[in-house]
Amino acid sequence: QVQLQESGPGLVKPSETLSLTCAVSGYSISSGFYWGWIRQPPGNGLEWIGSIYHSGSTYYNPSLKSRVTISVDTSKNQFSLNLSSVTAADTAVYYCARQPGYSSGWHAFDIWGQGTMVTVFS
Amino acid sequence: EIVMTQSPATLSVSPGEGATLSCRASQSVSSNLAWYQQKPGQAPRLLIYGASTRATGIPARFSGSGSGTEFTLTISSLQSEDFAVYYCQQYNNWPPSMYTFGQGTKLEIK
């Protein structure tokens, strides 16, 4: 079955760049779907960060757009998140997830990774 | 930005009883609404998309309704594994743009 697995440093210093990777197994990213990042600060709700298509087309939350870069590596069947100039407010569990595309008629996130906790800490 | 407001924040229900959770959008999202269930330490799990379509493997006791700005998630005959936090999410824009989630409703055992 399709599985997503996030990986990356659990601690990041303020002003530095947070970098995470989501490895996809059981499905080829190049075959379709969109792939997204969502985060959840401790004890709080969910925030969409952005999504990417296998072609490299990206879509970002306007509130984070100036600091976010999402990229895809189809040869490794993975996609990545970079969030620059982090502060304590970026401390959260970061999830990657799959998102059906336009032809499906619906675009909720149907498969999620287990999430990875990232703490911004000096 | 479309603001999603869920009510109540916490709902206390006895096992075997039913539960109704509400989600309101600040502007119409048509039927572009999803519901997720999240248990402690776990990722959200998609329950409902298109406001009323159950995702693969979701039991029939979960049902969604509504369109426009008012939505409801109904869980009939609550099982012990249903006690969790539930989130609604609008995905009204395509290509992806400014998707937003509600703040969540905690469904707890009475």
Side-chain angles (χ1 to χ4, degrees):
Chain A
Q1 75 273 26
V2 182
Q3 292 185 315
L4 286 70
Q5 179 67 59
E6 306 89 347
S7 63
L11 288 176
V12 182
K13 293 182 178 180
S15 80
E16 295 189 345
T17 296
L18 178 161
S19 296
L20 298 174
T21 296
C22 180
V24 180
S25 59
Y27 187 85
S28 171
I29 284 182
S30 299
S31 295
F33 287 92
Y34 286 66
W35 306 89
W37 288 98
I38 301 101
R39 70 180 181 178
Q40 184 173 35
N44 287 327
L46 299 157
E47 180 180 35
W48 173 69
I49 299 171
S51 298
I52 190 166
Y53 192 53
H54 68 80
S55 63
S57 297
T58 52
Y59 311 88
Y60 299 138
N61 185 325
S63 68
L64 299 169
K65 187 175 183 178
S66 63
R67 299 194 292 131
V68 172
T69 303
I70 298 176
S71 59
V72 64
D73 186 337
T74 54
S75 66
K76 295 182 178 179
N77 215 40
Q78 64 186 34
F79 60 106
S80 299
L81 168 70
N82 278 358
L83 180 65
S84 64
S85 304
V86 298
T87 69
D90 296 309
T91 294
V93 176
Y94 286 76
Y95 296 100
C96 58
R98 190 181 78 166
Q99 179 181 18
Y102 178 77
S103 60
S104 72
W106 60 278
H107 319 299
F109 297 100
D110 65 343
I111 299 176
W112 295 61
Q114 66 183 25
T116 187
M117 180 69 200
V118 178
T119 301
V120 179
F121 180 62
S122 58
Chain B
E1 174 182 329
I2 299 175
V3 177
M4 307 301 292
T5 303
Q6 293 185 241
S7 60
T10 303
L11 184 60
S12 299
V13 184
S14 300
E17 295 185 342
T20 300
L21 288 65
S22 296
C23 176
R24 173 177 292 179
S26 61
Q27 63 189 74
S28 177
V29 297
S30 186
S31 294
N32 298 311
L33 190 283
W35 290 95
Y36 301 87
Q37 176 194 69
Q38 187 178 36
K39 297 179 181 179
Q42 297 185 16
R45 172 194 182 197
L46 178 65
L47 299 175
I48 301 285
Y49 63 87
S52 61
T53 303
R54 279 190 302 277
T56 302
I58 301 304
R61 65 180 182 273
F62 291 90
S63 63
S65 63
S67 67
T69 62
E70 300 285 343
F71 301 90
T72 299
L73 175 69
T74 302
I75 312 170
S76 63
S77 188
L78 281 160
Q79 308 295 303
S80 58
E81 62 266 29
D82 299 336
F83 293 94
V85 179
Y86 291 82
Y87 293 95
C88 62
Q89 179 227 339
Q90 65 80 16
Y91 51 89
N92 194 50
N93 295 321
W94 190 262
S97 173
M98 208 54 243
Y99 296 148
T100 49
F101 294 83
Q103 81 281 16
T105 290
K106 182 179 181 180
L107 183 57
E108 64 178 25
I109 300 176
K110 186 175 182 179

